[in-house]
Amino acid sequence: MIKLPGTNLLIEKKLSPDPAAFFVVPVISILLALLVGAFSLALSGRDYQQIYATMFSGAFGSTYGLSETIVKTIPLTITSLGIALAFRMQLWNIGGEGQIYMGAFAATWAALFFPVGTGWWTMPCMILLGMLAGGLWALLTAIPRAIWGVNEIITTLMMNYVAIFWVNYLVYGPWKDPQGYNFPLTATFPPEAILPTLGVSRIHFGLFLGLLLTVLMYAVVQHTRWGYEIKVTGESVSAARYAGINSKRNILLVMFFSGAICGLTGMTEVSGIAYRLQPGLSTGYGFTAIIIAWLARLNPFAIVLVSFLFGGLQVGGYIVQTSGIPSSMVTMLQGLLLFFVLGGELLTYYKISKAPASSGQDT
Amino acid sequence: MNQPNLVELNNITKKFPGVTANDQVNFSVRPGEIHVLLGENGSGKSTLMSVLCGLYSPDAGDIIIRGTKMQFRSPRQAINAGIGMVHQHFKLIESFSVAENVILGDQSIPQVLKMHQIKNYLTKLSQRFGLQINPSAMVWQLSVGEKQRVEIVKMLYRGSQVLILDEPTAVLTPQETGELFRTLREMTATGRGIVVITHKMHEVMEIADRVTVLRRGRSVATLEKQQINQQDLAWLMVGQDILRQEKKKIPPGDKHVLELKNVHCLNDQGLPGLTDISFTVHSGEIFGIAGIAGSGQRELAEVIARLRPVSSGDVLINNQAITGCSPRQAIDHGVAMVPEDRLGTGLVPNMDAMDNLILKSYRNKSLRRGPFLNRTLTREKVNQLVSRFEIRLNAPDAPVKLLSGGNLQRLLLAREITSDPQLLIAVYPVRGLDIKATEAVHNLLLEQRSKGLAVLLISEDLEEIFKLSDRVGVLCDGRITGIRPADATGVEEIGLLMMDAQNQGETTI
């Protein structure tokens, strides 16, 4: 119970949150985020109504727009699932971005430089190696965390830059396509290394991987013994210890799989979208995924929905960019969404009441 | 003698929902004296001192400081009136220097800090009382004893005339304790008054000019130095209102279920937590552990459950050493435990009753279906437990943090008892429970005893210990100061052992 200074209002924790609040509060939060966004657009002298309308119809209003939104939804979903797995255990994996790059790097190696060339094995190898690389990259931060308690927020964040620069080094250097007119790109992947797409759209097979992973994540976290251990550890470390759960082992495992799933995003992006390794292949998916995982309250199915929303936000952002709106507006809206939804949480779990008059007038 | 008392608390009453923590307590501090406040846990010592230093305002009674009636609305007002408290858990900012910590909150200090002057002043101040501190040192680099000195200097710097120390020696080595006592004497020589909260008999004998004993919120006696003797103090503290319950019918078995052999371990501060502990608990026996809180009870329970490493010695279950085992292996050896921290360690607050009831059995073969948890079977099992142990759930999938204390404890006991254990460690099993829930928990424990379970009962309530236990082991300062049969031992004897009055670690049996 907290007393608001200078008033006689108390903030109290609700014993049980109102079930309706779980739906009403996020919806109001989103509307408020859009409102504040509109305000700042209006301040910079733009017609926010028109911008919002263009964004919406651009992202969801046409077959092309919708398919592009889904294309964005795929990496966002997969990465958010990976991030959410770690968050479940209160492991703050901020390194999704780097793990994506490492996954892309390993998948590219399997596609272009595999010792025995390409064949039916190319695609499975790309998936496995991509996940392995992302997983090992994350494991590098999990080991010091498990043994010495080194803060994984810092280490995973730093490792992002190492991974990004490593990929840049490769595409500007040894892996640069000799026939590429000196552009920082690798050679195009052979057909065996390219994910099939849906019709003429850019929607690729990664969509099914993402949906499969969603169901798998739900089953693992909610219904397996390991998922139970993760939940217990995330809720209370001392209860986990008391119950004989080996937290160190789980830190390593959870971080590995979290990174592996992010690595899968890297694989699907090079194999389904870019068809080659190039700088900037992830537009901050690893960071956006943190917001998505939070907004979805780590629920796998909600992650798909929120990712779709964020995918639409990004596509809508690209569309209005052509009319001179800075792309950073999308980042601003994402930030506002997080701000308001987390702020709205206060209303879900707490209530504000008047302090009883009798209880003192201390400062 | 005409000098007014530094502090006079008259008829202080402070009620909290359900309990009267202080009931018309009188207490005073004379200039130049060390006044020891003695009492069991929950006897109202902390509440009384919190009233004095402005953290609580009393429901009734007067606070008179140097002859003036005061009404503290905040700790700051108490500090300004010259009352300073050194809490058991220090209130220092680790990343600040000593000097920065000392001036923190001092509003008389100018906006532009002259750190050099402040440091010089602190050096002089601390030297005067024999308190060795380096004003430039960072607090995180200091030892516990040094941090305590910083807290004392902080209070001196603020001009405290009355210094309250809450169990100051609990964290100190014997040498540091000696230094502290010398410092306290220096301070009384300047006319300051000192209140020391302690449980240790030899410290009372060593430093007290006067002693006030609290029991169940009431002040039972205030004794002058020449009136103090150990027997009386023990008697006053634990009281005489203990009813012997009916004798247990079945005598304990002779199987050694739990055996500790010369166990040593460290506490969280890295100081000795348990020293040379040896005892045996038999099947069908309830072995009570009595002692002032913080004498090593938590460490003892954790060492047996393998949650805390043993530095030397052995823990045996059914004659098998489990000293090197993991917590999980200890569970597999049949060690069940109702921990002190029910909600947070024993139970996961945000999970529902079902998820909490399988906290230890979720990996059992019977609840498995491949890698999955067999939810149908678990639900069935949980329903059985809920009806057998009369756990009242508002909703089956509501988080357990919404349950009442009695229901939480039933839930915990249900899980631990049905895990088919060899040994049950019950740490403060009825703390915070009402009479009905207490009775239910006690009956459960006695029922398990008659079924042959070995029970290690750790409690701060002597009445509970005498009611349930076959034998009583007394912990003091991390040592067993005695093991006595519960039926043939007086409360006073246990009380003396709790404060290690005899100072000779002899054990019987």
Side-chain angles (χ1 to χ4, degrees), chain A residues 183-206:
Chain A
F183 280 112
L185 309 163
T186 62
T188 314
F189 286 1
E192 294 91 338
I194 288 173
L195 285 170
T197 55
L198 203 71
V200 290
S201 71
R202 295 208 301 156
I203 301 173
H204 53 84
F205 189 72

Side-chain angles (χ1 to χ4, degrees), chain A residues 120-293:
Chain A
W120 60 265
W121 57 82
T122 301
M123 196 53 78
C125 275
M126 286 172 73
I127 294 181
L128 277 180
L129 286 175
M131 292 185 78
L132 193 68
L136 290 177
W137 200 243
L139 198 62
L140 280 181
T141 62
I143 293 169
R145 164 66 208 263
I147 301 176
W148 301 292
V150 176
N151 186 331
E152 76 282 6
I153 300 178
I154 310 284
T155 51
T156 51
L157 183 68
M158 309 271 254
M159 294 287 272
N160 284 330
Y161 303 103
V162 180
I164 292 169
F165 285 121
W166 167 241
V167 165
N168 280 352
Y169 161 74
L170 288 175
V171 294
Y172 281 97
W175 282 12
K176 188 159 65 181
D177 182 10
Q179 278 99 49
Y181 305 102
N182 219 17
F183 280 112
L185 309 163
T186 62
T188 314
F189 286 1
E192 294 91 338
I194 288 173
L195 285 170
T197 55
L198 203 71
V200 290
S201 71
R202 295 208 301 156
I203 301 173
H204 53 84
F205 189 72
L207 178 65
F208 298 101
L209 288 178
L211 293 177
L212 186 73
L213 207 59
T214 306
V215 178
L216 199 67
M217 186 71 79
Y218 168 76
V220 167
V221 172
Q222 296 304 328
H223 290 285
T224 65
R225 279 172 282 128
W226 188 53
Y228 178 78
E229 287 187 359
I230 294 174
K231 278 193 292 179
V232 170
T233 314
E235 287 287 346
S236 165
V237 178
S238 59
R241 225 167 89 72
Y242 160 78
I245 293 170
N246 185 341
S247 297
K248 281 186 183 171
R249 190 180 125 249
N250 279 340
I251 288 174
L252 299 180
L253 277 175
V254 164
M255 234 8 198
F256 176 81
F257 281 109
S258 173
I261 294 168
C262 295
L264 181 66
T265 306
M267 180 271 162
T268 59
E269 284 302 286
V270 288
S271 169
I273 300 290
Y275 306 149
R276 53 158 63 95
L277 191 63
Q278 60 188 42
L281 71 98
S282 161
T283 53
Y285 296 134
F287 298 115
T288 311
I290 297 166
I291 305 181
I292 295 174

Side-chain angles (χ1 to χ4, degrees), chain A residues 320-335:
Chain A
V320 291
Q321 225 175 311
T322 52
S323 53
I325 309 294
S327 65
S328 50
M329 190 203 65
V330 173
T331 324
M332 179 192 79
L333 275 178
Q334 285 179 356

Side-chain angles (χ1 to χ4, degrees), chain B residues 408-422:
Chain B
L408 280 178
Q409 196 64 317
R410 267 197 280 258
L411 191 74
L412 239 172
L413 275 164
R415 185 184 71 212
E416 295 304 305
I417 287 171
T418 52
S419 68
D420 204 12
Q422 302 287 318

